[in-house]
Amino acid sequence: MKRKTIQDIKNLKKSKLPFATLTAYDFNSAQIIDSADIPLILVGDSASMTMYGYDTTIPISMEEMLLVVRAVSRAAKQALVVADMPFLSYQTSIEDTIKNAGTLIKNGGAGAVKLEGGLQVKKHIQTLVDYGIPVLGHVGLTPQSYHQLSGYKIQGKTPEEAQKIISDARAVENAGAFGVVLECIPEILAKEITQQLTIPTIGIGSGNNCDGQIQVFHDIIGLSREKAPKHAQTYDNIYSKIQNIVTQYKSDVENSS
Ligand code: KIV
């Protein structure tokens, strides 16, 4: 089976059909997602919450990211695996950006990295692309800036904020990114950016007019005890199903003699 390349992902924009992508953080779920022919799997730094139980994406380390990236890369046979760069693995310097992105590709087995920001990370993206490391951008709500943004809120509601997000998305494209995640921005703004850019936009909480969509795997299957965010598309409550199985198993053992 031929693995998807960044060119395959770029071509999805031309097809005009919306495409679905998902996050994954472990071998089994990555196998399930990969076998559903999802073209891109993001090993998101949302692993900080889903895998390690932190409150935000801020605490996850490179070492913790690397473990989940490796597991997903081993499972994915057809999808492009994109590894998120954790907080402070690229903001600190261009040297750190190259070293840490290189580690996610070389030791993690990912085919690309994702980092948050627009104009302020233009140089970082340009350098990675120059050194042969494909980059997926991420603008709008950037969860690593949780404190600066005063929490998780829709971004780009005023004309000034909207203009800044358009400039950020254009900067990401001009720097050479092969796509950009648009997180939690108004639908009309996401549509405008999608029309302006030549690279695919992948939306989350930004309406249906992006080229593709991304969701957190745990949210769509209802695997977490905590309520999923408002923008999540939740199809089931696997948490309670697993809980019932565990309770059933416990009772079977206790009643077996
Ligand atoms: O970390 C993550 O899961 C993400 C997606 C929400 C885009 O960045």
Side-chain angles (χ1 to χ4, degrees):
M1 197 179 303
K2 198 177 153 294
R3 189 186 288 279
K4 300 282 184 308
T5 63
I6 60 163
Q7 191 55 53
D8 293 322
I9 304 300
K10 283 181 174 176
N11 290 344
L12 292 173
K13 184 165 185 107
K14 293 178 206 141
S15 83
K16 301 265 183 247
L17 287 174
F19 60 93
T21 69
L22 274 171
T23 68
Y25 319 95
D26 68 78
F27 186 80
N28 280 329
S29 56
Q31 262 189 339
I32 294 168
I33 296 166
D34 194 59
S35 62
D37 232 4
I38 296 277
L40 181 154
I41 299 177
L42 171 68
V43 190
D45 60 354
S46 45
S48 187
M49 291 89 96
T50 58
M51 299 304 287
Y52 296 107
Y54 298 120
D55 285 340
T56 67
T57 57
I58 292 168
I60 194 168
S61 65
M62 265 299 289
E63 290 67 29
E64 287 166 326
M65 270 307 294
L66 201 50
L67 287 175
V68 289
V69 171
R70 279 187 177 149
V72 171
S73 298
R74 280 194 285 267
K77 300 291 177 233
Q78 64 77 30
L80 175 70
V81 175
V82 180
D84 236 339
M85 297 198 68
F87 183 55
L88 294 193
S89 69
Y90 59 97
Q91 291 92 341
T92 40
S93 68
I94 297 293
E95 286 71 21
D96 285 350
T97 308
I98 300 165
K99 189 168 99 11
N100 289 319
T103 300
L104 293 167
I105 301 284
K106 193 172 168 176
N107 302 342
V113 298
K114 174 168 86 59
L115 50 83
E116 294 182 5
L119 287 159
Q120 77 276 35
V121 291
K122 196 172 172 193
K123 178 94 196 310
H124 303 63
I125 298 175
Q126 237 157 17
T127 308
L128 289 178
V129 171
D130 284 348
Y131 283 112
I133 298 178
V135 179
L136 179 63
H138 184 157
V139 303
L141 172 59
T142 46
Q144 291 177 8
S145 304
Y146 174 80
H147 297 298
Q148 180 62 30
L149 298 174
S150 301
Y152 301 126
K153 295 180 183 155
I154 301 275
Q155 302 294 306
K157 289 212 273 197
T158 67
E160 296 74 29
E161 275 178 18
Q163 195 46 57
K164 161 91 174 77
I165 295 171
I166 293 174
S167 304
D168 280 339
R170 292 180 78 101
V172 164
E173 164 163 91
N174 291 336
F178 71 89
V180 61
V181 170
L182 305 179
E183 180 162 356
C184 291
I185 61 171
E187 185 161 0
I188 187 160
L189 176 59
K191 186 175 180 184
E192 172 68 27
I193 294 172
T194 301
Q195 282 168 351
Q196 283 197 24
L197 299 193
T198 60
I199 54 171
T201 60
I202 304 179
I204 176 163
S206 301
N208 290 333
N209 292 306
C210 298
D211 298 302
Q213 296 289 328
I214 187 151
Q215 287 281 322
V216 168
F217 180 70
H218 286 47
D219 291 344
I220 67 161
I221 65 168
L223 186 55
S224 300
R225 191 171 58 181
E226 282 69 39
K227 217 166 158 286
K230 254 210 285 199
H231 58 70
Q233 285 168 251
T234 301
Y235 292 84
D236 210 328
N237 186 343
I238 297 299
Y239 183 93
S240 68
K241 287 192 172 154
I242 296 176
Q243 200 169 43
N244 289 341
I245 292 169
V246 172
T247 308
Q248 181 68 55
Y249 162 70
K250 177 173 178 279
S251 140
D252 286 350
V253 170
E254 288 168 357
N255 297 317
S256 62
S257 61

